[in-house]
Amino acid sequence: MIFMKNIGLLIGAGWHGKKHAKIMSEIFDVLYVVDVDNSALDWCRDNLKCSLKLFSNLEQAIYKNNELQNTVCVIATWGTDHYDILIKLIQNGAKSFFVEKPFVHSLEKIE
């Protein structure tokens, strides 16, 4: 029998992201957190009691996570980035997502 770790990836640990982080830290065995703000990563390190992997950019987190296809990804960054982040995750094998609104700012972006 093969046991898989529950892996979560949170992109954005700002105001909304911290709420997601608290819940995700109780659900997942390993939580990858990506944020460009070091103080947000410090908050995660100080307040979350799970196995954490902290990154300042998404590319590093994708490179280090060899089970992206089995990872639940939560996108909680500034709204203008959601679509581009989702596409990058899909292109690297991710399959499970929760995306904060707005997904896009114009319909032309997704056509």
Side-chain angles (χ1 to χ4, degrees):
M1 180 179 284
I2 297 174
F3 292 98
M4 294 175 45
K5 290 183 181 176
N6 291 324
I7 302 171
L9 168 60
L10 173 64
I11 302 117
W15 191 82
H16 282 288
K18 285 181 177 80
K19 294 175 187 257
H20 291 298
K22 287 179 184 178
I23 294 167
M24 292 174 78
S25 71
E26 296 174 7
I27 296 171
F28 297 104
D29 299 323
V30 178
L31 179 59
Y32 288 72
V33 180
V34 179
D35 201 291
V36 296
D37 183 353
N38 285 332
S39 66
L41 297 176
D42 290 341
W43 180 92
C44 291
R45 186 179 297 110
D46 295 341
N47 292 282
L48 304 177
K49 306 302 178 208
C50 65
S51 178
L52 287 172
K53 304 209 183 270
L54 305 174
F55 300 92
S56 60
N57 71 63
L58 181 58
E59 290 75 17
Q60 288 176 326
I62 289 172
Y63 177 76
K64 293 288 187 176
N65 183 347
N66 58 5
E67 294 191 43
L68 195 59
Q69 71 278 2
N70 298 316
T71 300
V72 176
C73 305
V74 174
I75 301 172
T77 60
W78 183 249
T80 60
D81 298 333
H82 293 171
Y83 176 82
D84 295 330
I85 292 170
L86 179 64
I87 295 303
K88 186 176 289 188
L89 290 169
I90 290 170
Q91 289 172 339
N92 283 279
K95 298 178 182 176
S96 301
F97 311 95
F98 174 85
V99 182
E100 283 284 348
K101 65 179 183 169
F103 177 59
V104 292
H105 286 279
S106 69
L107 293 177
E108 291 83 33
K109 183 90 172 178
I110 59 173
E111 289 180 348

